[in-house]
Amino acid sequence: MNFTAINRPSIAPALLLLFLTSSIAAIDVEELPPPAKHEVNFVKEILPIFKKHCVKCHGPDKQKSGFRIDAKAFALEGGEMGEAIIPGNSAESPLVHFMSGLDEEIVMPPKGDLLGDKTLGLIRAWIDQGADWPDDAGAQVADPMDHWAFKPLRQPGTPRFMDPMDAFLWVRLEAKGLKFSPRADKRTLIRRLYLVMHGLPPTGAEVKAFVENKDPRAYAQLVDRVLASPRYGERWGQHWLDVARFAESHGFEMNRERPHAWRYRDYVIDSFNADKPYNQFVKEQLVGGAFEAEAATGFIVAGPHDMVLGSDPAHQATLRQNDLAEMVNATGTTFLGLTLGCARCHNHKFDPVSQNDFYAMTAIFAGVQHADRTIGSNNKLQRKTKLQEEVTKLEKSLAGLLRPPVNFKRNEEFFAPMNAQSVRFTVLATTGQSEPCIDELEVFNVGKKNVALGGTLKSSGDFANNPKHKLAHLIDGKFGNPRSWISNERGKGWVQITFSKPARIERIVWQRDRQGKILDRLPTNYKIEIESTPGQWRVVASSNSRVPFGAKFDANAVAARKDLTEAQKIKTSALLKKHAALRNELAEIETVSLAYAGNFVKPPKTFRLHRGDAMQPREAVAAGTLLKFNGARFAAEATEAARRTALAEWIVSPENPLTARVIVNRVWQYHFGTGLVDTPNDFGHNGAPPSHPEFLDWLAADFITHRWSLKHLHRRILGSRAFTQSSAPQPAALKRDAQSRLLWRFPPRRLEAEAIRDNILAASGKLDLAMGGPGFSLFEIQKENVRHYFPKQKFGPADWRRMVYATKFRQELDDVFGAFDCPDGNQSVPRRGRSTTPMQALNLLNSAFILDQANHLTARVKKDAGANVEAQVHRAFQLTLGRAPEARELAAAKKLTTAHSLPALARALFNTHEFITIP
């Protein structure tokens, strides 16, 4: 029997909305026939029903399609719609609803009569009695865990006469009648090593030293130096950022910048350079603060985020689910090589991941929100707290003398403690004389408790028909424009809070938008009154004591006050000076400490969503990991941080067979262009099998044995015959293995966009190797509500850093290097394409950037080689290709230079296959 939806007549929009917002609990279970009274025998009474109707639904020839109700593995785990049988609770089991005909969408069987009350009563009784199903009963299906990637790691034996790194490859080569190629010459080998590991060429001096070094350990020593260089972390960090779908804007329609996202990029680069154990690297990106690596959780929120929430609750709920699903899917593909997103609407079609598993993983991230977060050491955070307290104390002292202008994000009103039962905030003027807006009005008693919460509200009138702006939002404890109140009068209005019981109050906090996103409708002229006894109001604060909106809060503002005595002016000026110093220090700490690494809040309850629809919640789901992969459900009281910690520990657990296999495959891929598994983000049934399964397991086990060290893995690979052999083609070998998958030669390949740009700057002598910090932009930005990005046409020294430090805007590609298969940042890119297009050649010949760098290379060549054309050609070849020209190249280059100038030669060299290829 399969989960088949029956076409229904069209439903009126209002009824459709009602249906979509209802859960399965809306089904009237009282309409169900009662369970049978006796103890049901599954084999004799239930299995025949399942067998009969399974065949009736889709026939015996479709044994692998749909939902097999006659097979235990499928029936108890559910089909495309998720869990169908809830042992012990037939009334809530979707299967019973489908069979009874009570479900609005799904009827089982889809054709013919329903099963009848007696039959359904038997099924209900069996479910209520625990849904016991003997393992040997019913149709037998293949175990989905019987898959190479899901089995425990093995440490296969290797031939004793050969290094394991070569032995596994040699066995496959010999079986195909192939063998390794001869070792590459030293000049080729050092260039290959530097381009693969640094994304930059070796200097002429480095090439000369290596070529002339006769020490048999010369290459191993060179590998050590390459791995010790900070250029390694920049190169390999870029690979990881591709997989982690890193970008520095939100994407979607507005595509606003994320000005503090770069901290995650720097964290990644620093982690690679430090050879951080990979298991720790994984845990830090999911847990962060517990490992003093707070920026690391930038991974969780690295994906796109739609800022246009709108006013429709269904749309808002859908966007939130999209965010959570993106986090789950990114975690699955990045660390596990599993496409978990395929289980959002139904059980995974290919892998043993249930829809319940997907929402259990969703519950782990349910408390994660896209946002900047203040990070830093405990000392820094403690200093921030102390500064805030000092600023508050100073502002209390200034309250009776002079106060700063109102601002959009936060305003405080201080007064002597007094008893009150109500507070009234009256607006007399606003910016632009538009309707005033307040997103929250907090009233604090002497015990620092917000007594406005739970109070009752009145107003002069409310802005109509906008769900973002309601009177109730004024005291709901939530901040931001989408939870605010707006008056219905331009430039004025009032709101009144009556407390649940009288309170002794001393401070009021209010603002237009605590999130600082909206800069309009700010009250600039106002008064605040309190009601101590019924009908008796007293003004306790107003804008009169503030510097006018837009004016500076400084000594000049003090001097302008005629109502202050000289003594008061001296005191006020001193307080202002101290206030400015504290504010500056606080601003510096807050600015330095911000990272786009997510905010963490108490997670709400998570439900399985019918067909992935945010407006069709079903049963609650506990947070947890994938059950078939030694996973578990967590305790209901598990905190938000505890959930992420448990997830991280499960991912790097020795019992998890996927994590080590996935990362060693990625590392192999970035050395040779293709992984041992050429679907690096999908190790499931729908992915490709490994070309060398025993070798993959050996590498993964060796990686774990050596403390998850990536540099150890690099040394293994870089010292192998596969990496150090020649890349020269051999006609006979090409006929047997055209793609070089068996590695009878080193597979040459084109460099990525970032490395091409970096190599051009290195050749011209303009490359700036400054590391870290905010990036440089390759775009001019038109900062409207919806951002518009225009590729730069003029470049200067600020744009000559390595391209890994270029600010990565989603959906936008640089005019020149975007043509070289750059990711757009919208999804994980485990392996870049390597296209060849006319636009690439044109960009490397005629673009403004290339013309500029060709001139810089020309200046460098002339400085080094003088006016002699032949010497210029030799120097240009050394700087771009790392070698001297051959005789025919020299002749052609001299002719080109003489006829068309040295910059023309520079552009031609930038365009050569050799310049942009790993040899």
Side-chain angles (χ1 to χ4, degrees), residues 537-556:
W537 293 91
R538 175 185 173 187
V539 176
V540 293
S542 74
S543 53
N544 292 340
S545 61
R546 289 187 180 274
V547 173
F549 177 72
K552 289 186 177 180
F553 186 44
D554 56 15
N556 290 330

Side-chain angles (χ1 to χ4, degrees), residues 176-369:
K176 288 286 187 179
L178 298 170
K179 61 181 180 180
F180 287 118
S181 294
R183 190 176 179 88
D185 65 86
K186 278 192 162 185
R187 194 174 295 277
T188 297
L189 191 55
I190 186 174
R191 185 171 177 85
R192 177 188 301 167
L193 175 65
Y194 271 73
L195 291 178
V196 168
M197 300 308 295
H198 288 179
L200 287 170
T203 65
E206 288 168 331
V207 174
K208 185 174 184 294
F210 178 62
V211 169
E212 295 176 354
N213 191 338
K214 306 303 181 184
D215 189 333
R217 299 170 299 170
Y219 179 67
Q221 292 168 349
L222 181 65
V223 167
D224 285 342
R225 289 197 297 274
V226 164
L227 290 173
S229 168
R231 308 286 82 79
Y232 156 72
E234 292 171 330
R235 168 70 165 166
W236 284 78
Q238 179 68 68
H239 295 325
W240 183 262
L241 295 174
D242 279 3
V243 176
R245 80 272 187 237
F246 171 77
E248 295 170 79
S249 68
H250 291 297
F252 293 98
E253 178 187 0
M254 295 177 72
N255 205 15
R256 295 276 188 91
E257 306 93 327
R258 293 177 179 173
H260 307 109
W262 58 267
R263 292 189 189 280
Y264 174 70
R265 175 248 292 155
D266 281 5
Y267 158 80
V268 169
I269 292 171
D270 291 345
S271 295
F272 275 97
N273 278 330
D275 195 24
K276 185 171 290 178
Y278 181 72
N279 56 346
Q280 182 180 343
F281 184 56
V282 172
K283 289 192 284 188
E284 287 178 353
Q285 291 176 84
L286 294 171
V287 183
F291 297 93
E292 295 188 358
E294 293 177 279
T297 53
F299 166 80
I300 303 175
V301 292
H305 169 60
D306 194 343
M307 298 177 68
V308 184
L309 294 176
S311 58
D312 179 8
H315 177 67
Q316 294 173 355
T318 298
L319 292 187
R320 176 57 179 162
Q321 285 303 317
N322 289 346
D323 279 348
L324 293 174
E326 196 278 334
M327 295 173 193
V328 171
N329 195 48
T331 301
T333 55
T334 300
F335 301 121
L336 303 170
L338 290 178
T339 54
L340 300 184
C342 295
R344 180 179 180 179
C345 302
H346 47 69
N347 289 349
H348 201 293
K349 291 278 191 179
F350 304 101
D351 300 332
V353 179
S354 69
Q355 191 188 23
N356 190 279
D357 276 339
F358 176 84
Y359 286 101
M361 292 281 284
T362 299
I364 293 174
F365 296 109
V368 180
Q369 298 176 332

Side-chain angles (χ1 to χ4, degrees), residues 12 17 217 330 347 370 452 492 565 661 734 769 814 850 905:
L17 178 61
R217 299 170 299 170
N347 289 349
H370 274 267
K492 61 182 180 178
T565 66
R661 283 186 177 121
L734 285 170
L769 292 176
D814 166 61
I850 293 297
L905 175 63

Side-chain angles (χ1 to χ4, degrees), residues 349-566:
K349 291 278 191 179
F350 304 101
D351 300 332
V353 179
S354 69
Q355 191 188 23
N356 190 279
D357 276 339
F358 176 84
Y359 286 101
M361 292 281 284
T362 299
I364 293 174
F365 296 109
V368 180
Q369 298 176 332
H370 274 267
D372 282 322
R373 188 173 81 247
T374 301
I375 64 172
S377 65
N378 286 334
N379 288 340
K380 184 180 287 185
L381 295 177
Q382 288 171 2
R383 177 59 179 158
K384 179 183 175 182
T385 301
K386 186 176 180 181
L387 283 170
Q388 288 172 330
E389 291 174 351
E390 289 185 45
V391 167
T392 298
K393 185 177 179 181
L394 262 179
E395 289 180 350
K396 279 186 178 181
S397 299
L398 282 165
L401 300 169
L402 184 69
R403 298 193 299 144
V406 291
N407 65 82
F408 292 92
K409 288 186 67 174
R410 182 184 174 92
N411 300 286
E412 289 190 273
E413 314 289 344
F414 300 99
F415 44 85
M418 55 187 66
N419 297 324
Q421 59 185 30
S422 300
V423 165
R424 185 163 61 205
F425 190 114
T426 302
V427 180
L428 304 171
T430 63
T431 53
Q433 284 304 299
S434 52
E435 297 88 346
C437 178
I438 302 174
D439 84 337
E440 190 76 9
L441 190 56
E442 300 170 284
V443 183
F444 292 93
N445 65 11
V446 291
K448 299 183 179 180
K449 178 182 178 182
N450 180 10
V451 294
L453 299 175
T456 57
L457 290 162
K458 290 198 302 185
S459 75
S460 56
D462 309 322
F463 197 79
N465 302 322
N466 192 318
K468 289 183 182 179
H469 309 298
K470 296 181 177 180
L471 183 60
H473 291 170
L474 200 65
I475 56 171
D476 63 356
K478 298 178 181 179
F479 303 103
N481 185 63
R483 305 287 300 184
S484 61
W485 167 80
I486 296 182
S487 168
N488 65 344
E489 298 180 88
R490 296 180 67 85
K492 61 182 180 178
W494 58 263
V495 288
Q496 179 179 319
I497 306 170
T498 299
F499 310 136
S500 58
K501 59 181 180 180
R504 189 166 178 79
I505 63 174
E506 63 175 356
R507 181 167 62 100
I508 293 174
V509 180
W510 65 275
Q511 61 279 320
R512 164 62 182 94
D513 178 10
R514 182 73 63 89
Q515 296 174 347
K517 296 178 180 179
I518 307 298
L519 305 178
D520 63 8
R521 304 179 186 273
L522 175 67
T524 56
N525 188 1
Y526 63 89
K527 65 178 180 179
I528 298 175
E529 303 165 278
I530 69 165
E531 184 183 35
S532 298
T533 57
Q536 294 185 5
W537 293 91
R538 175 185 173 187
V539 176
V540 293
S542 74
S543 53
N544 292 340
S545 61
R546 289 187 180 274
V547 173
F549 177 72
K552 289 186 177 180
F553 186 44
D554 56 15
N556 290 330
V558 177
R561 287 292 295 271
K562 296 180 180 179
D563 58 330
L564 296 179
T565 66
E566 284 303 314

Side-chain angles (χ1 to χ4, degrees), residues 70-86:
D70 63 337
K72 179 179 181 180
F74 289 159
L76 292 184
E77 293 174 10
E80 295 182 10
M81 301 305 167
E83 187 176 15
I85 296 172
I86 303 175

Side-chain angles (χ1 to χ4, degrees), residues 674-728:
T674 304
L676 297 171
V677 179
D678 63 9
T679 53
N681 269 13
D682 188 357
F683 273 43
H685 286 276
N686 208 34
S691 59
H692 299 76
E694 296 87 358
F695 187 28
L696 179 63
D697 271 19
W698 186 90
L699 282 172
D702 181 70
F703 177 60
I704 294 173
T705 300
H706 288 84
R707 300 181 179 181
W708 303 77
S709 168
L710 289 168
K711 287 190 177 181
H712 165 79
L713 179 58
H714 286 306
R715 287 189 179 91
R716 287 277 200 195
I717 295 173
L718 295 172
S720 69
R721 290 184 66 181
F723 188 84
T724 57
Q725 65 184 327
S726 168
S727 63

